[in-house]
Amino acid sequence: MEVAKQGTSKAGNWRDYERVLLPKVKNLHKLEVYEENGGYQALKAVLTEEKWTPKAVTDEVKASGLRGRGGAGFNAGLKWSFMPPVDDKPRYLCCNGDESEPGTFKDRQLLEYNPHLVIEGILIACYAMSITTCYLYIRGEFADWITHIEHELEKAYAKGYVGKNIMGTGFSTDVVIHKGAGAYICGEETSLMNSLEGKRAYPRIKPPFPAQKGCWNYPTTINNVETLACAPLIINKGAEWYSAIGAPTHPGPVLYGISGHVNRPGVYEFPTGMLITDLINEVAGGMRGGKKLKAVIPGGSSTPPLRADMIDGVTMDADSLRTAGSMMGTGGMLVLDETVDMVTWLKRVSHFYHHESCGQCTPCREGTGWLEDIVGRIDRGEGNVRDLDLLADLCTQMEGRTVCALADAAAWPVRYTIERFRDEFVAKCKPTLTPAGSPLTVDA
Amino acid sequence: MATNNGAQFNRHPEPTFSSDQLVFTSDEKSAMQGYLEMYPEPEGAIMRGLWLAQEKFGFLPPEVIRLVADELGIPYARAYGVATFYTQYFKQKKGTYVLDVCTCFSCQVCGGYDILHYLEDKLGIKAGETSEDGLFTIQEAECLGACGSAPMLQITNGRYVHNLTESKVDSLVSDLKDGKMPAFESVTLPQDETEMGGNRRDDVESLEYYKTPPVAETFE
Ligand SMILES: Cc1cc2nc3c(=O)[nH]c(=O)nc-3n(C[C@H](O)[C@H](O)[C@H](O)COP(=O)(O)O)c2cc1C
Ligand code: SF4
Ligand code: FES
């Protein structure tokens, strides 16, 4: 499979990039330090300056081109504009800090190192949509970080940045931290809402969409932690500044969470549109132990893996990754070297989806189990080559036929890992001597 | 009465806790009231309520779930449904220290299984089992959102231990046997190492998670 070289980095002069989501400021997580560094000034501006009507804030965010950082990459300002006109009924914002997509660990770093930027972003979004309650949903495993943010949030309440009559402007918003309890599915927007409501966290059928019927059936908008953290930056520096960073169609600063076989794994802030090769070879310090690159999973376990020979000229933004055959997802990039057995690896990934399926839809509940079983059978050397077609078939039956996208997310890694690493799978299979389906089929 | 619940659902014929034990202190009750105020409907407070109960009782048998439901004024069946949906709510008694070793996506290729098997050998139990002294349970965990510091584990739904090696596991186990919880570890960003000498926070020691110990001393 030949993939044309797509081009060069869209991240401009990234070697001199100055971080804005996680800037170089010691103890920035403390309210005092955040204030000294211009914190809550964007909030103050939108609440006090004439020009910042709620609509103007929404339009500015829309114009910045900010796309959701939770996986789907939807234009954030556009999503905000879907909220119905204000009436006397409640409306909610949910900030999605469930961060359970395997390979993703950036929201945790952001919440630890710059929590007030997230809180300020939440408040600006609440103002733009005339919302008076935001639920900040954080996965239960992040217990230490929940304590940490609760502490900082309390300080923000005490200083009058959150709560009633913020900065004396008459605008009020509460931020409530909701602690999850270990379920990947709660990251899905409607499942998160059921979780908040104290129900079993089954995703809901859409439509109605959250902007119509969300939490407790009232209009609700949901955004990822990192998405909302961009709002104060856009207000402070302008939509034009923001949209000029990185890839034009998917702009902004972004947190890349690089894990796996590189010398310096971790969270990095750079513009979007970085070359994958720059991220691996330069930013993350190259391949560990000088080993050869085998595969890159660009944005969390649900995004299709790219073979080493497919990443030349590919940049980290929606368009380039789509052309290359994958997705931006969460920006949590896993780098695999030549020692990895892709069959074994896929077996463990499929186990994850089987474990996390909520069981509501038959194609997902049964399908994820079958995927795990069949990949496992091949991994043990007991599979047949025709099982590979069976797997592809199963994927087709799962994709787009369920209440939420978990079934698709489970099918994609299977479909594309097999497609792109077929030799490895075939090598582990028993050969089929006669065509599949023939009554004469015998296994060697 | 607690005794009947178990029988009725036939999931726990013998309650673990007696009615003397099944009480919340006045502090805990006011915490529950606080949770109720966080949501427009009382059901929203279930998850926080169950968390509090699990920290107090160590796990959530039906009689404890009933206690939470009653305290919050919500149907028992609703609370039971929630408690059984989430992996972090323990339905059975576990060891004092539950070691959740991540073997998922990134950890599996960075030695997650080596760490898991090393722990299994060291403690003489398999994943899913509890040591005879009741001190340790080992579990295989899904991605815990710390893939950059793989392999890693989590202790009883709380502290993360990053960048595990065999010797780090050795000292962790012996510390835990002495009742010493490892300190919170702030994972430095590689860019901070280059630009700020890795020196971003100077207050990590102030973090304290367990307001009550993982298993309440009152029952031991
Ligand atoms: C199975 C599943 C899991 C998801 N997990 C998360 C998650 O952990 N965090 C997150 O921000 N979004 C997650 N999402 C995406 C959310 O549904 C939603 O699109 C996102 O939070 C919207 O925020 P954004 O527009 O700012 O990206 C998940 C989606 C699916 C289908
Ligand atoms: S697709 Fe899977 S996870 Fe999503 S609602 Fe259906 S069964 Fe649940
Ligand atoms: S894969 Fe282990 S923490 Fe993410």
Side-chain angles (χ1 to χ4, degrees):
Chain A
M1 198 187 307
E2 288 298 299
V3 174
K5 190 174 168 76
Q6 291 190 35
T8 47
S9 172
K10 297 169 188 154
N13 213 356
W14 61 268
R15 288 181 190 83
D16 298 326
Y17 176 74
E18 284 200 22
R19 291 180 284 158
V20 286
L21 288 167
L22 292 168
K24 193 176 104 182
V25 179
K26 192 173 174 185
N27 288 325
L28 186 61
H29 62 284
K30 295 183 185 174
L31 179 57
E32 319 79 84
V33 181
Y34 186 69
E35 283 175 314
E36 281 162 25
N37 287 275
Y40 290 108
Q41 290 308 308
L43 176 66
K44 190 170 178 194
V46 301
L47 294 184
T48 57
E49 288 173 22
E50 200 85 358
K51 68 166 181 172
W52 289 121
T53 60
K55 183 170 181 312
V57 174
T58 305
D59 287 345
E60 191 76 10
V61 172
K62 205 194 288 183
S64 76
L66 164 63
R67 296 172 67 159
R69 304 290 194 237
F74 195 78
N75 181 298
L78 189 59
K79 191 189 270 188
W80 296 5
S81 72
F82 294 157
M83 287 293 271
V86 182
D87 54 19
D88 53 1
K89 295 205 195 69
R91 28 209 286 142
Y92 297 102
L93 176 70
C94 295
C95 177
N96 192 342
D98 191 56
E99 185 148 86
S100 306
E101 169 86 359
T104 310
F105 51 105
K106 47 141 185 135
D107 294 338
R108 182 177 52 81
Q109 298 277 14
L110 188 56
L111 288 167
E112 179 180 343
Y113 290 147
N114 206 352
H116 289 288
L117 186 70
V118 178
I119 296 171
E120 189 175 1
I122 286 173
L123 296 167
I124 290 169
C126 284
Y127 172 78
M129 292 176 276
S130 306
I131 289 169
T132 57
T133 310
C134 170
Y135 287 99
L136 169 51
Y137 192 110
I138 305 181
R139 67 180 295 184
E141 289 87 346
F142 289 171
D144 274 332
W145 291 272
I146 290 173
T147 313
H148 167 72
I149 297 157
E150 277 174 343
H151 179 66
E152 289 302 323
L153 182 62
E154 237 168 71
K155 290 204 280 183
Y157 261 101
K159 272 279 187 106
Y161 292 126
V162 194
K164 287 222 160 42
N165 192 17
I166 295 171
M167 296 191 223
T169 59
F171 178 70
S172 305
T173 290
D174 278 309
V175 177
V176 178
I177 295 175
H178 185 92
K179 182 180 181 182
Y184 168 61
I185 196 60
C186 289
E188 198 280 334
E189 51 192 19
T190 55
S191 159
L192 185 147
M193 289 166 195
N194 277 339
S195 178
L196 279 179
E197 291 179 23
K199 296 177 178 151
R200 289 170 77 82
Y202 294 125
R204 303 172 183 172
I205 294 172
K206 288 180 274 191
F209 290 97
Q212 271 71 51
K213 278 178 184 252
C215 295
W216 293 281
N217 280 333
Y218 292 119
T220 302
T221 292
I222 177 162
N223 277 124
N224 172 258
V225 165
E226 188 189 343
T227 312
L228 290 171
C230 288
L233 306 173
I234 293 167
I235 296 299
N236 277 332
K237 304 186 183 199
E240 236 170 86
W241 164 84
Y242 191 91
S243 61
I245 299 173
T249 56
H250 196 161
V254 71
L255 299 177
Y256 296 105
I258 307 179
S259 64
H261 300 144
V262 290
N263 280 317
R264 296 211 307 166
V267 170
Y268 293 87
E269 180 186 333
F270 279 109
T272 56
M274 290 278 288
L275 281 168
I276 294 179
T277 45
D278 280 346
L279 283 172
I280 296 173
N281 299 330
E282 205 165 322
V283 168
M287 297 299 292
R288 212 171 57 183
K291 293 246 166 41
K292 256 173 62 192
L293 176 72
K294 181 182 238 176
V296 177
I297 297 87
S301 60
S302 310
T303 61
L306 297 171
R307 236 180 13 237
D309 62 307
M310 298 167 78
I311 64 163
D312 249 10
V314 178
T315 55
M316 289 294 283
D317 56 271
D319 291 340
S320 179
L321 284 164
R322 190 181 325 107
T323 312
S326 191
M327 288 179 290
M328 178 78 174
T330 61
M333 179 195 284
L334 172 62
V335 179
L336 298 176
D337 73 18
E338 56 189 331
T339 62
V340 176
D341 178 333
M342 295 305 284
V343 185
T344 309
W345 176 82
L346 183 66
K347 153 100 186 14
R348 184 63 184 81
V349 172
S350 299
H351 171 78
F352 169 81
Y353 288 102
H354 183 208
H355 183 258
E356 299 298 334
S357 165
C358 82
Q360 226 185 163
C361 326
T362 313
C364 175
R365 184 186 59 237
E366 303 297 322
T368 50
W370 278 106
L371 293 182
E372 186 190 351
D373 281 357
I374 300 172
V375 176
R377 180 160 90 202
I378 298 172
D379 187 36
R380 289 192 308 273
E382 292 161 15
N384 297 300
V385 176
R386 64 169 182 269
D387 285 340
L388 299 178
D389 300 329
L390 181 62
L391 283 168
D393 242 27
L394 254 169
C395 290
T396 310
Q397 287 172 42
M398 292 168 70
E399 287 163 10
R401 297 184 187 210
T402 51
V403 170
C404 88
L406 185 138
D408 306 72
W412 290 328
V414 174
R415 179 186 293 286
Y416 293 103
T417 308
I418 294 177
E419 197 177 297
R420 292 171 187 170
F421 299 88
R422 195 175 169 91
D423 292 355
E424 279 188 49
F425 284 82
V426 172
K428 276 200 162 183
C429 287
K430 299 186 281 182
T432 309
L433 297 183
T434 47
S438 148
L440 296 174
T441 301
V442 269
D443 295 332
Chain B
M1 257 300 293
T3 331
N4 297 333
N5 306 330
Q8 191 184 329
F9 276 80
N10 203 19
R11 295 232 165 88
H12 218 278
E14 286 297 317
T16 313
F17 300 103
S18 70
S19 50
D20 293 352
Q21 293 172 318
L22 288 170
V23 280
F24 285 124
T25 65
S26 58
D27 279 358
E28 287 158 354
K29 285 185 177 188
S30 63
M32 292 285 196
Q33 283 310 308
Y35 300 154
L36 285 169
E37 283 162 23
M38 289 159 62
Y39 303 88
E41 313 266 347
E43 282 82 356
I46 292 178
M47 292 187 71
R48 286 278 187 169
L50 291 172
W51 270 119
L52 188 149
Q54 178 155 304
E55 276 161 32
K56 179 185 173 79
F57 294 100
F59 71 117
L60 299 174
E63 66 270 21
V64 172
I65 298 173
R66 162 80 68 180
L67 181 71
V68 176
D70 290 351
E71 187 62 37
L72 296 173
I74 56 177
Y76 166 72
R78 183 77 176 265
Y80 187 87
V82 171
T84 50
F85 188 86
Y86 298 92
T87 14
Q88 284 193 291
Y89 293 135
F90 299 155
K91 269 65 72 182
Q92 265 117 38
K93 190 167 166 52
K94 307 222 175 187
T96 309
Y97 301 110
V98 180
L99 304 178
D100 270 313
V101 184
C102 180
T103 58
C104 196
F105 193 61
S106 308
C107 288
Q108 65 158 320
V109 295
C110 292
Y113 278 105
D114 293 348
I115 295 298
L116 179 74
H117 296 146
Y118 184 73
L119 252 177
E120 286 177 335
D121 289 347
K122 187 172 175 74
L123 299 176
I125 47 173
K126 290 276 168 221
E129 296 174 354
T130 300
S131 61
E132 252 170 49
D133 57 7
L135 215 46
F136 295 103
T137 300
I138 306 178
Q139 302 188 141
E140 206 178 320
E142 299 301 342
C143 179
L144 291 162
C147 330
S149 33
M152 55 79 61
L153 63 74
Q154 174 170 39
I155 308 167
T156 328
N157 292 330
R159 188 110 320 146
Y160 277 26
V161 191
H162 305 273
N163 297 312
L164 291 169
T165 57
E166 290 185 358
S167 68
K168 206 161 170 180
V169 169
D170 289 341
S171 49
L172 173 69
V173 167
S174 75
D175 278 355
L176 290 177
K177 281 183 177 163
D178 294 342
K180 272 201 305 216
M181 185 62 75
F184 176 82
E185 197 182 337
S186 184
V187 177
T188 58
L189 306 172
Q191 279 170 307
D192 285 350
E193 266 153 35
T194 317
E195 297 172 20
M196 317 164 63
N199 199 11
R200 181 173 278 276
R201 295 189 62 175
D202 61 13
D203 64 343
V204 286
E205 66 290 342
S206 68
L207 258 171
E208 221 210 285
Y209 168 54
Y210 285 112
K211 291 173 188 115
T212 48
V215 172
E217 289 149 30
T218 32
F219 305 128
E220 303 278 271

